[in-house]
Amino acid sequence: MKSHPFSTLIRFSLLLSLLFSTVACRGNEQRTSQQPTADVQQQPARHKRHHRHQSEQSTDNQATTSALAIPDYVRTVLAYVRTNHRAPKGYVGGRTFGNYERQLPIQNSTGQRLRYQEWDVKPKIQGQNRGAERLVTSSDDHAYYTRDHYRSFTEIE
């Protein structure tokens, strides 16, 4: 099966865009991320507590996040994931997202239960915290962005 030249150009453009955003993100993270390794080791415990205490979350966070624009690097990762069904090289992603807080839809319009996967939107840097931003994709091809580690979501159109 022959590949259409236009689709090859689109793939090349996406990869080039992803490369430039990766380089820019790495530079920003190295300048701004000075967290000790103890924070990285404590993160899983905070993550589990977060899932247990749904009542502590504020609905104000949703309004705040939805007013913000989706960063270009998030859209770039989403395009890559949709095309390749895996995380870009150097990124963490594809794990099941449980939707324990039930902030995302439980079922699609036909009543089928939705499954979710989570993806990092910035490349993993050895020894550094992965940050709070994530991309979450659903089994019905919807995508959501969270900038505050699952406390609020913005649907990506």
Side-chain angles (χ1 to χ4, degrees):
M1 186 169 158
K2 286 179 95 175
S3 177
H4 192 274
F6 186 70
S7 66
T8 304
L9 180 61
I10 290 174
R11 286 186 184 136
F12 178 75
S13 298
L14 285 172
L15 289 173
L16 193 59
S17 175
L18 182 62
L19 175 67
F20 285 119
S21 67
T22 300
V23 170
C25 290
R26 283 188 178 170
N28 288 338
E29 284 185 5
Q30 288 174 349
R31 283 190 295 274
T32 61
S33 181
Q34 299 295 327
Q35 299 177 353
T37 56
D39 287 346
V40 175
Q41 292 170 352
Q42 291 174 357
Q43 183 179 359
R46 285 194 309 261
H47 185 263
K48 288 179 184 175
R49 282 194 306 269
H50 169 73
H51 285 290
R52 283 191 216 123
H53 297 290
Q54 179 179 352
S55 61
E56 293 177 6
Q57 295 176 0
S58 168
T59 55
D60 293 339
N61 288 337
Q62 283 185 331
T64 303
T65 303
S66 59
L68 302 174
I70 306 297
D72 289 338
Y73 56 89
V74 174
R75 293 182 187 279
T76 302
V77 171
L78 176 59
Y80 186 92
V81 166
R82 285 184 168 161
T83 302
N84 299 288
H85 308 288
R86 61 180 173 85
K89 185 175 181 162
Y91 287 67
V92 175
R95 295 182 186 144
T96 298
F97 174 72
N99 193 25
Y100 300 120
E101 294 85 6
R102 300 193 184 276
Q103 290 190 27
L104 300 177
I106 306 300
Q107 302 174 342
N108 66 12
S109 59
T110 63
Q112 292 179 317
R113 184 169 178 85
L114 293 171
R115 295 178 321 274
Y116 293 96
Q117 290 179 290
E118 63 174 317
W119 312 87
D120 283 5
V121 295
K122 294 183 180 175
K124 171 71 176 132
I125 298 175
Q126 188 68 30
Q128 289 190 11
N129 186 307
R130 290 170 43 212
E133 293 178 284
R134 297 287 188 279
L135 170 67
V136 175
T137 57
S138 69
S139 55
D140 67 347
D141 293 325
H142 285 87
Y144 305 87
Y145 168 65
T146 176
R147 66 186 313 243
D148 54 15
H149 203 254
Y150 314 120
R151 288 190 186 110
S152 63
F153 292 88
T154 302
E155 185 167 5
I156 302 172
E157 297 177 16

